[in-house]
Amino acid sequence: MSTTSIVPKYDLGVATDYLQFGKGEKKRTHLAEGTNRIAPGFYCDAGSIDEFIELGNHLATTNKRRVRAHSIVQSFAPDEFNVDDPADLQYVGDLGFELAKRMFPNSPCLVVVHADSDGRNAHSHITVLNHDLVTGKAPTKNRTHSQLKAINDQLMREHGLRTVDRPHGGNSGRWADIRGERLARIEAGTPKRYEEFDVAIGDNLADAKKAALSVDDLDAFMERFEAELADRGVAMKQTEHEVKTESRKGHKKGDIVHGLTYEMLDEVTPTYKPRKRRRAASKVSAEFTLEGLAADVEAERQRRLAEAQRQQAAAAQQRREAMLTPTAEAAPTPEPTVERPGSELRRLLDELREARLAADDVPVAVEEAEQEALATAPASPPPLATAPDGDLDGAQAEESALAAAPADRSSLAAAPDEPEPFRSRLREYEAKTKSEKETADKLAVLDEQMVAWREEGRLPDENIVKTYNVGKEKLEKYGSWFEPENERLLIARHEKLVKANRSFELGTDVGRTRAATLRAAVAEGRYETAAQTAPKPLSAAQHAQQMAAEAVLEDAVHEDERQR
């Protein structure tokens, strides 16, 4: 059962800061450790959250709109999704993305899933920019809660999930919630009259319904449901009566209303002799009325249909991947150019990136130096990968020399076997507890993966690295067990994230711009600074300009900490 809400957002920076780090002590902890509260299921229509904020502010400023985005919260009951299961959290994120695209199909969106609420209920925060990429205007539909609820309820039914219904009279909630309230009163010694019987008959109805849902045809279900009730000592009777007044919601005076009544022997109520008692379905729970049973049967049918479609889609994807596996080189077939919302989004993002590069002289100079170095560097054999600093290490230099030497078939025949893949020292970490050993084994996977990326000439994949939450504590405890280059990169990553968070907290335009630049670099896997990774040193003027900019930022950070 999911609940939803929608409100306009006038400040994207504050909103997305809460989504990433929370507030109060939770925020301070994340900032200190270089972590965040983003769970699996995260999605962003831009390259990063900072780029999404920049795009939203740009669109709102350009079009002179006060409302920069619409914020939607989609929250599920604790018994629907397990906050400790990444697959469940990914499913919650998928539902949030689908809801966003049904509400505003042509607007850029951000979906952040949280699993750290006190009630342990999975929920997603959906931020949709107040801009339609097709019309160029602000969306005019689906901005009210009633419209949101109708679309969300339809989405829940299609996925076989519960909806929040409010039928007239009786107990409108689900039986599980009503049962909990009644048991709490019984355990507290303050039950209502016949409350023990109401719990007993409700449990029998719930068990019978669960057993009968093995069929998804309503008539077959009702027949099976009645048989299951009889096995549990419950008799079901269909009733009808005429509406006497105009006050009944959904019915007019004179209408014939059909209902259900259940009867069972009461053997649980204290101080009373056993006797048969009857309960109208709506007095137990709306879940056991004709309308409620029909809704659950339809939801089960939709759930099975959706599951079958997911399985078919997965099988089709596997077949496509098998067919697309390259067996011989073939010229790529150009795709036809079609104007879609995504094309407009890419154009806007490219313009923003170009504007950022034009405003920052130092990165431009570094990029030009890189291009000059590449243009003047001698050609090297394609299979050789370069280290992150642009130079060949000893092993690669030896391979380069061998590649340039004349081929010697006898020496090739006697060549030793290929070296074994890198094995992390973390796998031999002497852990004192089981959880400590599990953490070391997980970090060993990251250590080995980072070495593999470097051997392939690739930057680290931040989407994978951040799932390991390698913050200050883990670096202090396990850092020396990493491969030395990996340790250095992870420390640089942590320091860059901490510096970005401190810059963002300054609340100034300079601080926010600096934070956005640092976080974008981390998102791309560039953990070191541009000066550290540039293949050609900066000129004296460029170096002085960079040092001056760094000094201004550090002074601002120190002044902010002093005032605190």
Side-chain angles (χ1 to χ4, degrees):
M1 165 173 63
S2 64
T3 58
T4 53
S5 64
I6 182 170
V7 294
K9 283 295 178 185
Y10 303 95
D11 188 337
L12 282 174
V14 174
T16 51
D17 186 52
Y18 169 77
L19 297 184
Q20 295 181 81
F21 308 111
K23 58 183 179 180
E25 183 60 30
K26 183 179 294 185
K27 178 179 179 179
R28 287 190 289 273
T29 301
H30 282 304
L31 293 178
E33 297 181 356
T35 58
N36 58 56
R37 61 192 302 226
I38 298 176
F42 168 83
Y43 176 85
C44 184
D45 265 329
S48 65
I49 292 181
D50 293 310
E51 196 168 330
F52 182 82
I53 297 174
E54 187 178 6
L55 176 62
N57 290 334
H58 169 73
L59 292 173
T61 302
T62 303
N63 295 281
K64 299 180 180 180
R65 299 182 186 132
R66 287 184 63 242
V67 177
R68 306 205 164 193
H70 298 286
S71 176
I72 301 171
V73 178
Q74 184 185 46
S75 181
F76 296 87
D79 62 340
E80 284 190 293
F81 293 104
N82 181 4
V83 294
D84 298 321
D85 186 347
D88 274 13
L89 297 177
Q90 181 63 54
Y91 192 9
V92 171
D94 293 343
L95 290 171
F97 173 77
E98 191 168 352
L99 177 62
K101 293 307 179 183
R102 291 194 184 191
M103 293 285 291
F104 306 100
N106 303 319
S107 301
C109 74
L110 166 71
V111 180
V112 176
V113 178
H114 286 167
D116 58 355
S117 63
D118 294 337
R120 291 183 62 78
N121 63 302
H123 60 281
S124 58
H125 293 265
I126 307 162
T127 306
V128 185
L129 296 185
N130 189 29
H131 184 84
D132 190 303
L133 294 172
V134 174
T135 65
K137 301 178 180 179
T140 57
K141 297 181 180 180
N142 300 333
R143 296 184 299 177
T144 66
H145 181 264
S146 60
Q147 293 168 325
L148 169 62
K149 184 181 185 305
I151 294 174
N152 184 67
D153 284 353
Q154 178 61 30
L155 176 62
M156 294 302 102
R157 283 190 288 269
E158 291 177 7
H159 284 264
L161 298 171
R162 306 197 303 260
T163 59
V164 179
D165 298 316
R166 293 285 183 263
H168 174 77
N171 288 311
S172 58
R174 301 290 296 184
W175 170 243
D177 301 325
I178 296 169
R179 183 180 189 273
E181 296 173 0
R182 287 177 169 168
L183 284 178
R185 287 193 292 267
I186 293 173
E187 292 173 359
T190 58
K192 295 181 179 179
R193 192 180 185 188
Y194 306 127
E195 192 125 54
E196 294 85 351
F197 171 76
D198 291 333
V199 171
I201 194 171
D203 284 346
N204 280 326
L205 295 177
D207 291 343
K209 188 194 78 170
K210 183 178 180 180
L213 277 176
S214 57
V215 295
D216 55 16
D217 176 75
L218 182 58
D219 292 336
F221 166 82
M222 292 302 296
E223 182 178 346
R224 176 75 180 274
F225 182 54
E226 187 172 11
E228 292 288 343
L229 287 174
D231 291 342
R232 292 164 174 77
V234 181
M236 181 181 71
K237 180 181 179 182
Q238 297 198 31
T239 62
E240 62 178 40
H241 65 274
E242 182 180 346
V243 177
K244 301 297 184 181
T245 67
E246 296 286 353
S247 62
R248 186 176 177 90
K249 184 178 179 180
H251 298 284
K252 298 179 180 179
K253 183 178 180 180
D255 286 350
I256 301 299
V257 178
H258 297 273
L260 293 176
T261 298
Y262 303 103
E263 184 180 72
M264 188 180 80
L265 181 65
D266 181 3
E267 299 177 298
V268 296
T269 301
T271 71
Y272 286 94
K273 293 181 179 180
R275 56 161 293 183
K276 287 187 175 182
R277 300 190 191 281
R278 289 189 297 272
R279 288 291 183 269
S282 60
K283 297 300 181 183
V284 183
S285 167
E287 186 176 336
F288 305 123
T289 63
L290 281 171
E291 294 84 357
L293 293 172
D296 282 347
V297 171
E298 175 62 19
E300 175 66 12
R301 189 184 72 83
Q302 294 287 354
R303 186 194 68 78
R304 292 183 183 181
L305 179 61
E307 179 63 27
Q309 290 174 344
R310 281 195 294 270
Q311 293 177 357
Q312 292 174 0
Q317 179 63 24
Q318 290 179 353
R319 290 194 296 271
R320 284 194 294 270
E321 291 176 354
M323 294 174 63
L324 292 174
T325 300
T327 55
E329 294 186 0
T333 303
E335 296 183 357
T337 302
V338 181
E339 287 297 328
R340 295 188 177 92
S343 303
E344 176 65 14
L345 175 60
R346 284 192 294 273
R347 184 187 66 78
L348 290 169
L349 291 174
D350 289 341
E351 288 180 357
L352 287 173
R353 293 190 186 104
E354 291 175 3
R356 281 203 306 272
L357 289 175
D360 193 347
D361 293 333
V362 174
V364 170
V366 172
E367 184 175 356
E368 290 175 350
E370 290 177 345
Q371 296 296 330
E372 180 181 351
L374 290 174
T376 58
S380 59
L384 288 180
T386 57
D389 60 357
D391 297 325
L392 292 175
D393 60 20
Q396 291 172 326
E398 184 179 349
E399 291 177 5
S400 179
L402 289 174
D408 186 344
R409 296 186 179 274
S410 60
S411 62
L412 290 175
D417 295 336
E418 293 184 1
E420 295 183 0
F422 170 74
R423 178 178 174 82
S424 174
R425 290 177 58 240
L426 282 159
R427 297 196 180 277
E428 282 72 47
Y429 181 84
E430 297 178 1
K432 297 179 181 179
T433 64
K434 181 179 178 181
S435 61
E436 195 174 63
K437 178 60 176 172
E438 291 175 351
T439 300
D441 289 341
K442 290 179 180 178
L443 294 178
V445 176
L446 173 61
D447 194 21
E448 294 164 356
Q449 181 64 70
M450 290 183 69
V451 170
W453 286 330
R454 192 161 62 251
E455 290 176 348
E456 296 169 4
R458 296 171 52 193
L459 291 173
D461 188 333
E462 173 62 14
N463 289 329
I464 296 177
V465 175
K466 69 181 179 182
T467 62
Y468 291 85
N469 291 325
V470 186
K472 180 180 178 181
E473 292 183 0
K474 287 183 180 178
L475 285 173
E476 290 177 348
K477 187 172 184 179
Y478 303 99
S480 61
W481 290 78
F482 277 88
E483 192 271 341
E485 179 66 10
N486 291 345
E487 179 187 11
R488 187 177 67 80
L489 287 174
L490 291 172
I491 292 175
R493 172 183 179 271
H494 172 69
E495 291 175 349
K496 186 168 285 189
L497 288 173
V498 171
K499 184 176 290 188
N501 293 336
R502 288 177 178 174
S503 300
F504 187 89
E505 285 188 319
L506 293 176
T508 63
D509 290 338
V510 174
R512 288 181 182 275
T513 302
R514 177 63 172 167
T517 302
L518 291 170
R519 290 172 181 168
V522 171
E524 295 172 4
R526 294 186 288 108
Y527 298 154
E528 299 170 293
T529 63
Q532 290 173 315
T533 57
K536 185 176 181 180
L538 300 176
S539 66
Q542 291 169 346
H543 181 72
Q545 184 180 9
Q546 179 174 342
M547 294 300 293
E550 291 287 341
V552 171
L553 177 62
E554 292 296 333
D555 290 342
V557 172
H558 291 317
E559 177 63 21
D560 179 71
E561 292 178 344
R562 187 187 66 77
Q563 292 179 357
R564 289 186 181 181

